[in-house]
Amino acid sequence: MGWLERNIIEPGKLPLLLALVAFVLTFLITRLITRLIRAGRGPFGNVSSGGVHVHHVVPGVILTIVGGFGAVAGGQHGFGSCLAAVLFGIGAGLVLDEFALVLHLADVYWSPDGRKSVEMVVLTASLVGLLLIGFSPLGVNDLDEDQQQNRAVVLVNVLVNFAFALIALFKGKVRLAVLGVIIPLVALVAAVRLARPTSPWAKRFYRNRPRARARSALRSYHHDRRWATPMRAVQDWIGGAPDPEPTRSLERR
């Protein structure tokens, strides 16, 4: 309770915690319902109005707007701000569950492109979780000299690790960059290793280094071959396996 009071409640992070919990629960419940609808089980069904299928991103946008403005107006404390945070978390969960639809402007929910929604939800939850589990070096008052020094050290470490994460992101290692924000050693390792061949780092610094380009391409090939299938399996376990792509028959001329 002491950690919760000092690092969550006192810095005003309780609404953020409630928003994160509402966000994750909304995504999980929504995925459960959509998978039941897809399987034809349970009392659930798609919502239509005038023959038009209403995607849950629509109420999600409305709840996000209401919750966002309510949170801004309510401040960091009080029942109103907590309620607004919950509404915002629910709305964000509904919106990001259909992130791929917004990105492609097409109903790709159960297609391979729909996995982008799962990736975006995991990325968002990880970043928000970082804000919660991390200390607040600048957000707590009445600290003694030792506590101020400790928080200054934490702040410097966070900034240095964030710089390594940015380098990893510039090298095209998005997942490691996000994970590295939470686990410092991951960001450091990702920052010092070769960049992916299509990354901005490779285009800028490997332009006149053919050996580095070749090593980067070879390492990227082996990495994708090793990890692509497990990553897709995890995404399918979280969000449901996509529909199999239709095979295209070759027309003889």
Side-chain angles (χ1 to χ4, degrees):
M1 290 299 296
W3 182 91
L4 180 67
E5 175 70 26
R6 190 162 193 81
N7 293 283
I8 300 296
I9 299 178
E10 186 178 345
K13 291 184 177 181
L14 182 59
L16 184 62
L17 174 62
L18 294 175
L20 176 61
V21 173
F23 172 77
V24 174
L25 288 179
T26 299
F27 169 74
L28 294 177
I29 294 173
T30 301
R31 281 284 164 168
L32 175 61
I33 293 175
T34 54
R35 292 170 80 165
L36 289 175
I37 294 174
R38 184 191 189 191
R41 301 168 58 185
F44 308 104
N46 293 321
V47 178
S48 300
S49 178
V52 177
H53 173 59
V54 180
H55 293 272
H56 49 268
V57 68
V58 177
V61 170
I62 297 174
L63 290 175
T64 302
I65 294 174
V66 173
F69 279 109
V72 172
Q76 294 180 318
H77 303 278
F79 175 77
S81 63
C82 293
L83 177 61
V86 172
L87 292 178
F88 179 83
I90 295 174
L94 293 174
V95 170
L96 291 187
D97 183 58
E98 293 202 303
F99 171 80
L101 180 147
V102 178
L103 178 64
H104 294 279
L105 294 179
D107 191 359
V108 294
Y109 195 86
W110 293 119
S111 73
D113 289 332
R115 291 191 178 102
K116 293 184 177 66
S117 297
V118 179
E119 292 183 0
M120 183 56 62
V121 168
V122 173
L123 171 63
T124 302
S126 300
L127 293 178
V128 177
L130 172 67
L131 297 177
L132 286 173
I133 65 176
F135 295 104
S136 179
L138 302 178
V140 179
N141 299 322
D142 301 327
L143 301 177
D144 57 34
E145 184 176 350
D146 291 338
Q147 290 174 328
Q148 291 178 355
Q149 183 177 0
N150 291 337
R151 289 182 179 271
V153 172
V154 171
L155 179 60
V156 171
N157 289 335
V158 168
L159 292 177
V160 172
N161 185 64
F162 185 70
F164 286 136
L166 284 180
I167 295 175
L169 184 63
F170 194 50
K171 287 188 172 184
K173 305 174 182 180
V174 179
R175 297 185 183 90
L176 290 180
V178 175
L179 183 61
V181 173
I182 305 173
I183 307 176
L185 183 60
V186 173
L188 174 61
V189 172
V192 299
R193 290 175 66 86
L194 283 171
R196 293 186 67 87
T198 58
S199 66
W201 183 283
K203 294 178 181 178
R204 172 65 178 83
F205 296 104
Y206 297 168
R207 184 183 309 169
N208 300 320
R209 299 171 58 190
R211 293 185 61 184
R213 290 201 309 270
R215 290 173 55 207
S216 174
L218 182 61
R219 181 169 295 179
S220 177
Y221 168 77
H222 287 300
H223 176 273
D224 293 342
R225 186 177 180 181
R226 181 183 303 121
W227 294 106
T229 300
M231 286 295 297
R232 289 173 182 171
V234 172
Q235 292 171 354
D236 294 347
W237 178 76
I238 296 175
D243 293 329
E245 295 183 292
T247 57
R248 299 179 179 178
S249 58
L250 296 178
E251 297 181 357
R252 295 183 178 179
R253 298 182 178 178

